[in-house]
Amino acid sequence: MNFEVWPEAIELGQMFADEGFELALVGGPVRDLLLHRRSHDLDFCSNARPEQFEPILRRFGHDGFWDMGRKFGTLGAMRRRPDGTEVKVEVTTYRSDVYDPDSRKPEVSYGDSLEGDLSRRDFTVNAMALTVPDLEFVDPFGGANDLNKRVLRTPVDPYQSFDDDPLRMMRAVRFVAQLGFSIEPETAEAITRMTDRIEIVSAERVRDELTKLLLSDRPRAGIEALVDSGLADVVLPEIPALRLEIDEHHRHKDVFDHTMIVVDRAVALETGPDGPVPAPDLVLRLAALMHDIGKPKTRRFEPGGKVSFHHHDAVGAKMTRKRLKALRFDHHVVEQVSDLVDLHLRFHGYVDEPWTDAAVRRYVKDAGPLYARLNRLTRADATTQNRRKALMFEHAMDEMEERVAKLKEQEDIDAIRPDLNGDEIMAELGIAPGPLVGKAYRHMLEYRLDNGPVDHDTAVAELHNWYASQAE
């Protein structure tokens, strides 16, 4: 095969060869070469131990060196090209990662051959190598053929592979999303039979795979694979629970199918890099995925065959917060996604009866920095097949956004505050700090929301009128 290989890879390979060591480009970079993609993050493996190749990497990495992965046999370095492009390399000693049945962390043992190292990798499409500097293509498990077929298959028996490293099952569904591949039947069956094994993997590692899946070009395909495999029953059980039985008269939508449509629509509504919701946006995509998880718990069959899901937004927000915390997502992600789930029905009343300016201000204030995401989630959630209803909804949302834009020209509704602050309230009323100040502040905030900005004298008069009413 003909390869156009990174000159840095050739140079590093020669540096290893000069010291008597083997070096091979492995994994994703080799796969991407065959897919005609380019990467600036290069993964290598070698028969040299970290203490042996550390001096080589330090000489190679003019602009950076790191050793956070030393206990796993991995060191990294970075250099910057004249055009400013960064090329990052990581070198790992031939190895085997094996989980103790009762441990959440892999034990690392070193191997002694390139083929042995490749046999321990997750899938054949990642078990190809290119030796450097001589550029020999090494493919002992038919990875190039599987790449051509767009199939994910383990290099060794899948039960052994997933037993050695259960996280590979999560990587399988992630690659479905990232690469658009399918999982080979025997490999898929092994995942289904071994889903409980994922429980020994740390929540952080599962979260990282889920995040990569959601930020891919095809998150829906990955989510569906996660559910079909049974892995979601363990790591994200709220999603397969959305597959509610449809009543015999088909009077309500299947919630899982609806959610998948909302995920697709939310992705399509993300903006360019300079827009309010640049793609890919993890918070919006998580909110689209989780927005209806409260429905199974709140489903009620009403008289006449109707089905209701009262308060599924509030229930779903609590469930979302609990699940994302369990998966160790960052606090700000947990809070933002939970808030979006809680708010995702807020706009619907506008369609039936346009809001007052005060209601529009409250909507913007409650959404806060999530305003742009909330509007996109709301639009994505409007999946009705009734063309007339769909057009009415779009028109109402367009109208509301136009009103917000006009209000923003007149006042700073993104950061609404009362016309009098706490110090001014205490000075006007002659009171000391305490609960009454907070009560007055809240009243003045409500007044501001209802009436928009007013002049100082009007605000003072309203404060005194309110204070007088408290004494009655």
Side-chain angles (χ1 to χ4, degrees), residues 278-335:
D281 188 85
L282 179 62
V283 169
L284 177 61
R285 295 184 182 200
L286 273 170
L289 178 62
M290 307 294 279
H291 79 284
D292 272 349
I293 64 171
K295 280 191 170 180
K297 282 192 174 183
T298 58
R299 180 172 63 159
R300 299 289 182 271
F301 293 98
E302 307 288 356
K306 292 185 178 181
V307 180
S308 67
F309 303 98
H310 295 308
H311 307 300
H312 77 268
D313 45 350
V315 172
K318 291 180 180 178
M319 294 171 64
T320 296
R321 185 172 283 107
K322 182 177 179 181
R323 176 56 54 194
L324 298 187
K325 282 183 176 179
L327 287 168
R328 304 289 193 271
F329 276 95
D330 290 343
H331 174 74
H332 76 278
V333 172
V334 174
E335 293 307 311

Side-chain angles (χ1 to χ4, degrees), residues 23-152:
L23 187 69
L25 190 66
V26 291
V30 179
R31 182 192 71 225
D32 289 346
L33 272 177
L34 295 179
L35 292 173
H36 305 292
R37 298 175 178 176
R38 299 289 287 188
S39 171
H40 298 297
D41 294 344
L42 308 180
D43 296 323
F44 298 87
C45 64
S46 173
N47 63 338
R49 299 296 176 91
E51 63 272 14
Q52 293 174 311
F53 65 76
E54 179 175 347
I56 302 174
L57 273 190
R58 286 189 178 276
R59 292 200 306 273
F60 172 86
H62 305 152
D63 301 296
F65 172 85
W66 57 92
D67 64 354
M68 292 86 74
R70 185 183 294 272
K71 64 181 179 180
F72 300 111
T74 301
L75 304 178
M78 186 268 286
R79 67 162 53 172
R80 197 172 284 107
R81 291 174 175 169
D83 64 1
T85 303
E86 293 182 352
V87 178
K88 297 177 182 178
V89 304
E90 286 196 340
V91 180
T92 302
T93 303
Y94 297 153
R95 69 181 186 179
S96 168
D97 286 358
V98 180
Y99 276 80
D100 180 277
D102 300 317
S103 173
R104 286 180 172 268
K105 295 182 179 180
E107 298 176 353
V108 178
S109 60
Y110 292 132
D112 56 12
S113 72
L114 175 57
E115 185 167 330
D117 183 274
L118 295 177
S119 74
R120 300 178 183 108
R121 293 184 176 264
D122 51 9
F123 303 104
T124 59
V125 296
N126 293 328
M128 301 176 287
L130 187 66
T131 63
V132 285
D134 53 329
L135 301 184
E136 176 188 354
F137 181 60
V138 181
D139 183 18
F141 305 104
N145 186 47
D146 286 344
L147 192 65
N148 186 55
K149 293 179 179 177
R150 305 177 72 79
V151 165
L152 294 168

